[in-house]
Amino acid sequence: MQNNILPKHIAIIMDGNGRWAKKRFLPRLVGHNQGVKSLKEIVRYSSDIGIEYLTVYAFSTENWARPKTEVNGIIKLLFDAMKEYINELIENNVKMKIIGDKETIPENVMELFNDCENRTKNNTGMQFNIAFNYGSRQEIVHSVKEIAKMCLENKVDINEINEELIQSNLYTKDMPDPDFVIRTSGEIRISNFLLWQISYSELYFTKTYWPDFNKSEYKKALEEYQSRKRRYGKI
Ligand code: FPP
């Protein structure tokens, strides 16, 4: 792997925790727990090799429809992981940010996220984005509503609406688009993740379940990225 042509922004759909557990006749939450371990390894390694932005899909707007025990279990895992891991993030100069609909998440989760964001806000190393209560269509609707408000208040003229204005009202407004999207577990779809932002991203799908996605699997993915030629619609 060459360190000089690494993606600036990597986005990951961490899929397959449930199937990883099922294969072992274990409860789904054991799979999620193992998934948090993979995530820690990938965050650490990404920061070490100089990735500037890492965005992971932790919980979608659709995930609330899962059984209550699973939803609560995932939220508890998130709490425990944050509490245990925040100091390491700070030591490694990682800046954390939550992307998603903050209006409709439980208050205790919101407080935890605000605390993590505040404690890492002056860090200048890798930005680690956690997509929580995130759905890309909802994000685009949110952006459109913000722009509509500006139009009604005569702050923006309809003719001034362009890609930049839509982009600057998305949750990812201060970040470059992902260069590389990884999805684990063998599913070949995007599932409402960063639809606007991945227009020109390189996509990588692996059959490996997320709990088995380790540093060596990650390096393999990055090598594949390095072998691709990005053309952005040109020849
Ligand atoms: C997908 O597997 C995984 C999730 C919906 C949850 C991912 C969450 C974590 C790894 C914990 C988040 C923690 C932090 C610290 C951000 P699945 O349940 O859809 O698996 P399946 O498709 O095999 O059923």
Side-chain angles (χ1 to χ4, degrees):
M1 196 178 82
Q2 300 149 269
N3 277 352
N4 56 345
I5 40 168
L6 285 169
K8 216 180 190 173
H9 185 173
I10 300 177
I12 307 183
I13 303 176
M14 310 180 285
D15 196 11
N17 295 346
R19 276 164 285 163
W20 181 92
K22 194 171 176 210
K23 212 172 103 184
R24 291 164 177 76
F25 306 101
L26 293 166
R28 291 176 62 81
L29 274 172
V30 178
H32 293 312
N33 190 32
Q34 209 57 35
V36 173
K37 289 189 186 152
S38 292
L39 180 58
K40 283 183 185 166
E41 185 173 335
I42 297 307
V43 172
R44 228 170 257 146
Y45 184 63
S46 303
S47 155
D48 285 352
I49 59 175
I51 300 300
E52 291 179 42
Y53 298 85
L54 177 71
T55 303
V56 299
Y57 207 177
F59 200 85
S60 72
T61 44
E62 289 75 31
N63 285 152
W64 297 107
R66 292 189 178 203
K68 218 170 165 193
T69 46
E70 184 172 348
V71 170
N72 290 342
I74 293 179
I75 291 178
K76 178 160 182 344
L77 270 180
L78 191 87
F79 261 87
D80 293 348
M82 290 302 165
K83 281 203 190 111
E84 188 197 314
Y85 195 42
I86 184 80
N87 288 330
E88 187 180 326
L89 291 181
I90 296 170
E91 265 164 43
N92 288 313
N93 199 19
V94 172
K95 183 173 173 171
M96 219 192 84
K97 198 172 151 51
I98 302 301
I99 59 168
D101 181 6
K102 288 186 171 172
E103 314 270 297
T104 58
I105 57 179
E107 204 173 315
N108 60 340
V109 180
M110 195 62 248
E111 277 166 16
L112 172 79
F113 287 158
N114 284 341
D115 183 48
C116 291
E117 284 186 346
N118 280 333
R119 288 171 69 189
T120 60
K121 71 170 187 252
N122 295 323
N123 289 352
T124 54
M126 184 177 83
Q127 180 163 323
F128 173 40
N129 302 310
I130 299 182
F132 186 92
N133 196 23
Y134 177 85
S136 187
R137 289 183 175 180
Q138 181 276 332
E139 178 188 33
I140 294 169
V141 170
H142 168 82
S143 170
V144 169
K145 281 186 177 166
E146 292 296 311
I147 296 167
K149 264 189 247 163
M150 291 190 254
C151 287
L152 283 175
E153 291 164 3
N154 292 321
K155 289 180 184 152
V156 164
D157 183 83
I158 281 188
N159 295 316
E160 288 167 351
I161 299 177
N162 57 17
E163 291 184 16
E164 283 70 37
L165 191 61
I166 292 178
Q167 150 74 18
S168 66
N169 282 284
L170 297 174
Y171 301 132
T172 52
K173 58 179 171 234
D174 302 317
M175 316 167 197
D177 288 339
D179 304 288
F180 195 38
V181 179
I182 297 173
R183 181 173 190 148
T184 58
S185 93
E187 306 293 353
I188 311 209
R189 56 174 172 262
I190 293 300
S191 303
N192 206 13
F193 189 47
L194 304 173
L195 299 178
W196 175 278
Q197 298 88 335
I198 62 170
S199 296
Y200 289 101
S201 306
E202 294 296 327
L203 309 180
Y204 178 88
F205 298 96
T206 169
K207 289 203 164 110
T208 304
Y209 292 146
W210 176 249
D212 289 326
F213 193 82
N214 54 19
K215 206 158 103 176
S216 117
E217 291 282 333
Y218 194 33
K219 276 191 191 164
K220 213 160 74 185
L222 291 170
E223 273 162 16
E224 162 81 27
Y225 172 82
Q226 292 179 333
S227 74
R228 307 241 184 123
K229 247 206 179 102
R230 303 188 70 193
R231 292 185 302 161
Y232 302 94
K234 302 176 202 113
I235 338 180

